[in-house]
Amino acid sequence: MPATINCRVQPEDFALDHEYQALQRQDCGAVVLFCGLVREQFQPQDGPQDMPQSGDTLQALELEHYPGMTEQSIRAIAGQAVKRFDLRAITVIHRIGLLPLGAQIVLVGVAAPHRSDAFAACDMMMDYLKNQVPLWKKVHFSTSTAWADAKASDKQALNRWQTAEQNTAEN
Amino acid sequence: MPATINCRVQPEDFALDHEYQALQRQDCGAVVLFCGLVREQFQPQDGPQDMPQSGDTLQALELEHYPGMTEQSIRAIAGQAVKRFDLRAITVIHRIGLLPLGAQIVLVGVAAPHRSDAFAACDMMMDYLKNQVPLWKKVHFSTSTAWADAKASDKQALNRWQTAEQNTAEN
Amino acid sequence: MPDITAAAIDTTPQIKVLFFAALREAIGHSELQLTLPAPLQISGVLALLSAQSSKVHQALAGREVLAALNQQLVGCDTWVHSGDELALFPPVTGG
Amino acid sequence: MPDITAAAIDTTPQIKVLFFAALREAIGHSELQLTLPAPLQISGVLALLSAQSSKVHQALAGREVLAALNQQLVGCDTWVHSGDELALFPPVTGG
């Protein structure tokens, strides 16, 4: 069954409730929504990250992207999700530009007849988004800035889906 | 770190946006929301279920529960999630009574510093909710009613978490 | 015989039994008080209920039944004590 | 030598190279046009860029760099053709 795919890359904020309403379908018993938010962060100094050592905390995240490729790669990820799971509607919104503490960064929403597809698809799309979409975060502290480092855990998370893909192809 | 747990069993509808706002924390980069909705369903007759054979479709779901135990077992599930994952806030709302087509049935919302915890906790709580909370669905068609059957797939889904629990205990 | 056993105990051991959903409808009651003739496991309570009423017997026969004792899901080998609240119901279908 | 090779080809093979994020800041440019002296893989383009500018050399050295050719993520052994858009950037950190 065809799925409605709605992908946007924009500086503007989005309204979760509006996107939730738009995702609903009569044949869908499950809607899963992931929202990524700008969370507090402490300037890394001598100690381990995320520890309040320097006193300087995150003021905002700046999101840079590769116009054209960003939209295209998000759409490709949604297309993969639709091929792999039984879905009826997908919404992916990623914001760019300067986003203050607490701001919404990203929304991935999925409507499906059954919850297992909705959960897996939302989870998978986030993993692809973290690893394959040309977006970069610059952390603005009050007196300095630093580019966010890619996390090994994000790469590992992606492997879950790629291994499963290969297994499916082999069987 | 302590997590705020908010569990409700109620006939009244809920506002997703309100619950989403209430879940947000400065140290949480991830919010995952699951919404279960009354989806269309066809009266099972000669053919396989979910096929429009009889022409009679679902008008409403009636949710019966075991007052006291329902609330207690939902709270226990939330407690398990907090023990197992790094979470800051959980909201579980389950509606009871007569719910028409398209109505919201259940909300499970989780706020966590990182998305892997939020996804896993939300997914796990739904599996426990489907298998261990004393709630029953009666399907109202226009000319008849039928109690919903428990699904083997829900039981299998629960095994994922129980196996992992045992593995964790063994290691 | 069961009546003599019950009378021999100081206070008559009674439990509350609740039925839900399809089981409640099949039995036609949502609640009853049951006097225990002797210490019983839940499986024994089910046998006792079936012996007392053909309607209950029919409702329980061939049906998967879950049990909650004092609002905790338990297995059918759990012992029941006086004053307990025993709930019997079909597999749950919420969420 | 490279100039002679380039001149021997009918139209001068040129590509557009884009830099993003930390790499863009380190190099000080977001975009440049590059003349290909010969058919090259992306690894060859990286070597050529490093040879042309010490700033690029420093920016690329010891840094994990991803490549997108015409807006598709590709490996460094991918061949680059005239008119291609090659983007170079650090591992992505969106989402």
Side-chain angles (χ1 to χ4, degrees):
Chain A
M1 202 160 289
T4 310
I5 296 178
N6 174 18
C7 295
R8 279 136 58 198
V9 178
Q10 60 186 41
E12 295 82 23
D13 201 4
F14 52 84
L16 181 88
D17 200 50
H18 175 81
E19 304 305 332
Y20 170 56
Q21 301 295 334
L23 278 167
Q24 291 176 34
R25 299 287 182 278
Q26 278 223 334
D27 57 352
C28 288
V31 174
V32 173
L33 300 159
F34 173 87
C35 303
L37 303 159
V38 181
R39 74 184 183 99
E40 70 183 1
Q41 208 171 307
F42 303 95
Q43 193 178 30
Q45 253 185 346
D46 308 323
Q49 232 179 320
D50 281 359
M51 294 299 290
Q53 304 220 359
S54 71
D56 196 0
T57 57
L58 176 149
Q59 307 296 308
L61 280 184
E62 187 182 350
L63 266 292
E64 178 171 335
H65 80 128
Y66 181 178
M69 181 175 166
T70 313
E71 294 81 349
Q72 190 178 307
S73 50
I74 290 176
R75 235 175 291 271
I77 289 168
Q80 271 187 279
V82 167
K83 259 201 246 170
R84 189 151 167 179
F85 303 105
D86 183 20
L87 311 176
R88 295 292 182 276
I90 293 178
T91 297
V92 180
I93 305 173
H94 207 297
R95 293 180 67 195
I96 49 171
L98 204 64
L99 307 176
L101 181 62
Q104 301 183 122
I105 306 169
V106 58
L107 169 72
V108 175
V110 178
H114 303 290
R115 79 183 184 291
S116 59
D117 292 298
F119 269 118
C122 192
D123 199 359
M124 185 185 86
M125 283 193 283
M126 272 309 299
D127 286 339
Y128 275 89
L129 213 73
K130 286 264 178 187
N131 285 282
Q132 299 196 343
V133 176
L135 283 151
W136 301 271
K137 288 190 184 107
K138 190 179 201 172
V139 188
H140 286 248
F141 298 102
S142 31
T143 58
S144 64
T145 64
W147 288 98
D149 283 323
K151 287 190 282 182
S153 59
D154 285 330
K155 219 165 178 175
Q156 282 157 16
L158 187 64
N159 288 340
R160 295 185 293 162
W161 309 106
Q162 296 178 327
T163 309
E165 247 168 45
Q166 283 161 5
N167 290 348
T168 307
E170 280 164 14
N171 293 336
Chain B
M1 201 160 291
T4 310
I5 296 179
N6 173 17
C7 295
R8 278 137 57 198
V9 177
Q10 60 186 42
E12 295 82 24
D13 201 4
F14 53 83
L16 180 87
D17 201 49
H18 174 80
E19 304 304 332
Y20 170 56
Q21 301 296 335
L23 278 167
Q24 290 175 34
R25 299 286 181 279
Q26 279 223 334
D27 57 352
C28 288
V31 174
V32 172
L33 300 159
F34 173 86
C35 303
L37 303 159
V38 181
R39 73 182 185 100
E40 72 182 3
Q41 207 171 306
F42 302 96
Q43 193 177 32
Q45 253 185 347
D46 308 323
Q49 232 177 322
D50 282 358
M51 294 298 292
Q53 302 218 359
S54 71
D56 197 0
T57 57
L58 176 150
Q59 306 296 308
L61 279 185
E62 189 183 348
L63 267 291
E64 178 172 334
H65 81 127
Y66 181 177
M69 180 174 166
T70 314
E71 293 82 349
Q72 191 177 308
S73 49
I74 290 176
R75 235 175 290 271
I77 289 167
Q80 271 187 278
V82 167
K83 259 200 247 170
R84 190 151 167 177
F85 303 105
D86 183 20
L87 312 176
R88 295 292 183 275
I90 293 179
T91 297
V92 180
I93 305 172
H94 206 298
R95 293 180 68 194
I96 49 172
L98 204 65
L99 307 177
L101 181 62
Q104 300 183 120
I105 306 169
V106 59
L107 169 71
V108 175
V110 178
H114 302 290
R115 78 184 185 289
S116 59
D117 292 298
F119 268 120
C122 192
D123 198 0
M124 185 185 87
M125 283 193 282
M126 273 309 300
D127 286 339
Y128 275 90
L129 213 73
K130 286 264 177 186
N131 286 283
Q132 300 196 343
V133 177
L135 284 151
W136 301 271
K137 289 191 183 105
K138 190 178 201 172
V139 188
H140 287 249
F141 297 102
S142 31
T143 58
S144 64
T145 63
W147 288 98
D149 284 323
K151 287 189 281 181
S153 59
D154 284 331
K155 219 166 178 174
Q156 283 156 16
L158 188 63
N159 287 340
R160 295 184 293 161
W161 308 107
Q162 297 179 327
T163 308
E165 248 168 44
Q166 284 160 4
N167 289 348
T168 307
E170 281 163 15
N171 292 336
Chain C
M1 267 291 275
D3 283 12
I4 295 164
T5 313
I9 300 171
D10 198 49
T11 47
T12 316
Q14 283 222 328
I15 62 166
K16 183 158 87 171
V17 184
L18 306 176
F19 305 105
F20 288 99
L23 193 61
R24 172 182 58 72
E25 285 188 350
I27 289 173
H29 295 285
S30 59
E31 183 176 338
L32 56 81
Q33 292 289 327
L34 184 71
T35 300
L36 296 184
L40 287 176
Q41 290 167 299
I42 289 170
S43 51
V45 175
L46 290 171
L48 181 64
L49 287 167
S50 287
Q52 288 186 347
S53 148
S54 67
K55 202 161 192 182
V56 172
H57 176 75
Q58 278 168 29
L60 292 174
R63 190 192 291 271
E64 188 183 349
V65 174
L66 301 187
L69 193 64
N70 302 321
Q71 309 199 349
Q72 299 286 338
L73 278 177
V74 292
C76 275
D77 55 352
T78 307
W79 289 93
V80 177
H81 300 98
S82 185
D84 280 353
E85 177 175 296
L86 174 65
L88 301 171
F89 44 77
V92 302
T93 57
Chain D
M1 263 293 276
D3 283 12
I4 295 165
T5 313
I9 299 170
D10 199 48
T11 48
T12 316
Q14 283 221 328
I15 61 165
K16 182 158 85 172
V17 184
L18 306 176
F19 305 106
F20 288 99
L23 193 61
R24 170 182 57 72
E25 286 189 349
I27 290 174
H29 296 285
S30 61
E31 184 176 336
L32 56 79
Q33 293 289 327
L34 183 72
T35 301
L36 297 184
L40 286 177
Q41 290 167 300
I42 289 170
S43 51
V45 174
L46 290 170
L48 182 63
L49 287 167
S50 287
Q52 288 185 347
S53 146
S54 68
K55 201 161 192 182
V56 172
H57 177 75
Q58 278 168 30
L60 292 174
R63 190 192 292 272
E64 189 182 347
V65 174
L66 301 186
L69 194 63
N70 301 320
Q71 309 198 347
Q72 300 285 338
L73 278 177
V74 293
C76 275
D77 56 350
T78 307
W79 289 93
V80 177
H81 300 99
S82 186
D84 280 352
E85 176 176 295
L86 174 66
L88 301 171
F89 44 76
V92 302
T93 56

